[in-house]
Amino acid sequence: MSAASASASALVKRHLSSSTNVDPTANTHSRPKKLGILMMNMGGPRTQSDVEQFLVNIFNDRDILTLPLQSIVGRFIALRRVGKVKDQYMQIGGGSPIEKWTRTQGKGMVDILDRTSPETGPHKYYVGFRYTNPDTVEAVEQMLSDGIEHVIAFSQYQQYSGSTTGSNLNELYRVQKRLDPESRLQWSFIDRWGTHPKLVESFADRIEDQIKKLTSDVRHTTPILFSAHSLPLNVVDRGDPYVAEVGGTVAYVVEELRRRGINNPYRLVWQSAVGPLRWLGPQTEDAIKSYGSAGYASLVMVPIAFTSDHIETLFELDIEYGEVAEESGITQFLRAEALNDHPPFIDALAAIVKEHIDAGFPTNSQLLLPDPGKESEQTRTTRQWIAMQGQRLAAAAGSKAP
């Protein structure tokens, strides 16, 4: 282990040992006057002209895949896919609606927070996408210009993966180091929230709506397929927690459905695999074909790892898999709506942030634990920075406590 890695590991361990029990009142006097909430996600192309750069940025991200001569090979792979992906976006309106939904969610969230947590308001949200504008650079520049003092980095991936939230955090570390070398911004982190009760209830609402649409003869027997974005198996083998966390969300949602008297059978399946790598399965498309060939004429699809409509729901689930279902003899192919602007979901976002504030902006110990497999030096460096942010908050709380 290098000296830098050993130092990072020691810092993280010290933070873990000093922050396991957080006094909800400890940071009352250290709460900042100006609080910003950074809503982090992958983003999506606004228009057809944005598709190429969106794909290049994805295939150049070493947190997703590692390639030899990545800037060259990644661009080559991206350019080969531009035409196909442009056509897919044209079929859902020309671009991704993810920015629209993120801003709708952000505004609703801060409006609630201004009422429920006035002592830390007025609250302002910022959008920081990983692969498209508005990106992390734009968000951090605006926060510095606005005089924000404390930022809650709020991942909009409710289940954690190093290839999603981890990639956003690595980019955030690089951007803040360059734009804020004096560390004017204090950071805290909401990195996963896949089993939050209000999120669980929101998913159950959307599923229940579709179950009610089924004809009475199959209403109680139709399989529910929870579909999440797949991962390459080399990421899974590294110990990435995403698979377990998606399974956790499914378990809690099913428990809530059972409480509501919905006892349909269910499975967790995986979508969006691309390229020659081996991916986590079973694949959603294969599952649809399998149930069709087994005689099932109805399915309810649930995008369990997505909260906003974008290409994976509007094109892949609705159009591409809809055609597969029709060819497989499935006549009732229903998809639970994405959470989008569902009022209970907006309330969930606000509740998650308020709980983070009320608990004194704690750092989740899961975020500080490395995967057991090999990880990048950048990920170790980012984790060290996250631990330092927690120590800054603890120090400020200690110096201002009565």
Side-chain angles (χ1 to χ4, degrees):
M1 179 183 292
S2 68
S5 297
S7 174
S9 177
L11 177 62
V12 169
K13 289 177 180 177
R14 286 199 302 274
H15 180 76
L16 280 169
S17 65
S18 65
S19 63
T20 53
N21 295 307
V22 179
D23 179 355
T25 65
N27 283 355
T28 298
H29 300 287
S30 63
R31 287 174 180 159
K33 294 179 180 178
K34 296 200 71 172
L35 182 67
I37 302 159
L38 176 63
M39 303 181 75
M40 302 186 302
N41 209 329
M42 69 178 295
R46 292 165 167 165
T47 66
Q48 290 281 287
S49 62
D50 297 326
V51 170
E52 179 178 319
Q53 191 60 53
F54 172 65
L55 292 175
V56 168
N57 291 343
I58 288 175
F59 284 100
N60 278 340
D61 184 359
R62 296 180 69 83
D63 291 314
I64 294 180
L65 73 166
T66 303
L67 301 168
L69 302 173
Q70 183 127 4
S71 62
I72 298 173
V73 177
R75 184 174 183 82
F76 174 76
I77 295 172
L79 293 181
R80 290 187 63 185
R81 293 180 54 81
V82 168
K84 178 181 179 181
V85 175
K86 278 188 173 182
D87 178 66
Q88 292 173 355
Y89 275 107
M90 282 302 297
Q91 293 184 58
I92 65 169
S96 174
I98 195 168
E99 182 182 356
K100 178 191 79 171
W101 289 124
T102 303
R103 293 194 181 281
T104 297
Q105 292 158 359
K107 183 179 185 306
M109 174 186 69
V110 297
D111 286 348
I112 293 172
L113 285 169
D114 285 346
R115 298 194 303 270
T116 61
S117 185
E119 66 277 9
T120 56
H123 305 85
K124 186 170 182 179
Y125 78 91
Y126 300 82
V127 177
F129 288 149
R130 180 66 181 88
Y131 306 115
T132 56
N133 292 325
D135 61 9
T136 306
V137 171
E138 183 178 329
V140 172
E141 287 178 339
Q142 189 61 54
M143 287 186 283
L144 289 168
S145 176
D146 290 345
I148 296 295
E149 298 169 278
H150 183 129
V151 187
I152 298 172
F154 188 6
S155 174
Q156 296 305 291
Y157 307 99
Q158 63 268 32
Q159 301 101 2
Y160 183 94
S161 172
S163 61
T164 54
T165 300
S167 178
N168 276 85
L169 290 172
N170 284 340
E171 177 68 1
L172 177 60
Y173 168 78
R174 292 187 289 262
V175 169
Q176 64 80 35
K177 182 180 180 182
R178 176 164 59 88
L179 297 181
D180 186 25
E182 298 177 353
S183 298
R184 287 180 286 166
L185 296 174
Q186 166 70 62
W187 294 87
S188 63
F189 308 90
I190 301 174
D191 60 301
R192 68 199 79 198
W193 39 283
T195 58
H196 191 278
K198 289 181 179 291
L199 174 70
V200 168
E201 291 170 4
S202 297
F203 273 125
D205 289 346
R206 293 305 210 194
I207 297 168
E208 186 174 14
D209 288 344
Q210 299 307 310
I211 295 293
K212 291 176 179 178
K213 294 178 182 178
L214 293 165
T215 55
S216 59
D217 57 321
V218 296
R219 185 168 299 141
H220 303 296
T221 57
T222 294
I224 299 171
L225 295 188
F226 294 93
S227 186
H229 201 296
S230 189
L231 281 181
L233 285 180
N234 62 347
V235 177
V236 178
D237 292 343
R238 190 179 66 209
D240 191 283
Y242 172 75
V243 176
E245 294 193 11
V246 173
T249 304
V250 170
Y252 275 80
V253 171
V254 169
E255 182 180 17
E256 174 62 19
L257 291 174
R258 300 293 187 254
R259 190 188 67 79
R260 300 182 185 197
I262 299 171
N263 296 295
N264 298 57
Y266 68 95
R267 287 293 186 273
L268 172 57
V269 294
W270 306 91
Q271 66 182 83
S272 310
V274 294
L277 294 175
R278 292 179 62 238
W279 288 70
L280 182 68
Q283 292 297 306
T284 303
E285 180 176 350
D286 294 339
I288 294 169
K289 292 177 180 177
S290 175
Y291 286 118
S293 65
Y296 287 90
S298 55
L299 289 174
V300 172
M301 309 300 297
V302 182
I304 196 64
F306 310 124
T307 58
S308 299
D309 270 324
H310 56 306
I311 197 166
E312 278 87 355
T313 59
L314 298 174
F315 176 80
E316 193 170 3
L317 282 176
D318 292 353
I319 298 174
E320 185 175 6
Y321 295 160
E323 292 173 356
V324 171
E326 184 176 3
E327 293 168 359
S328 302
I330 296 171
T331 56
Q332 295 184 76
F333 185 73
L334 305 179
R335 196 259 291 179
E337 289 185 55
L339 301 181
N340 291 337
D341 59 352
H342 187 43
F345 174 64
I346 305 298
D347 185 56
L349 295 176
I352 290 163
V353 173
K354 187 175 188 304
E355 289 164 13
H356 181 71
I357 294 170
D358 290 345
F361 308 104
T363 303
N364 188 345
S365 60
Q366 280 287 82
L367 185 56
L368 300 175
L369 182 68
D371 291 342
K374 184 179 180 181
E375 65 176 6
S376 69
E377 187 66 34
Q378 175 63 72
T379 299
R380 285 192 291 271
T381 299
T382 299
R383 193 168 59 251
Q384 180 183 24
W385 170 68
I386 290 169
M388 290 177 63
Q389 296 301 306
Q391 290 192 336
R392 277 183 66 187
L393 279 165
S399 66
K400 296 184 179 182

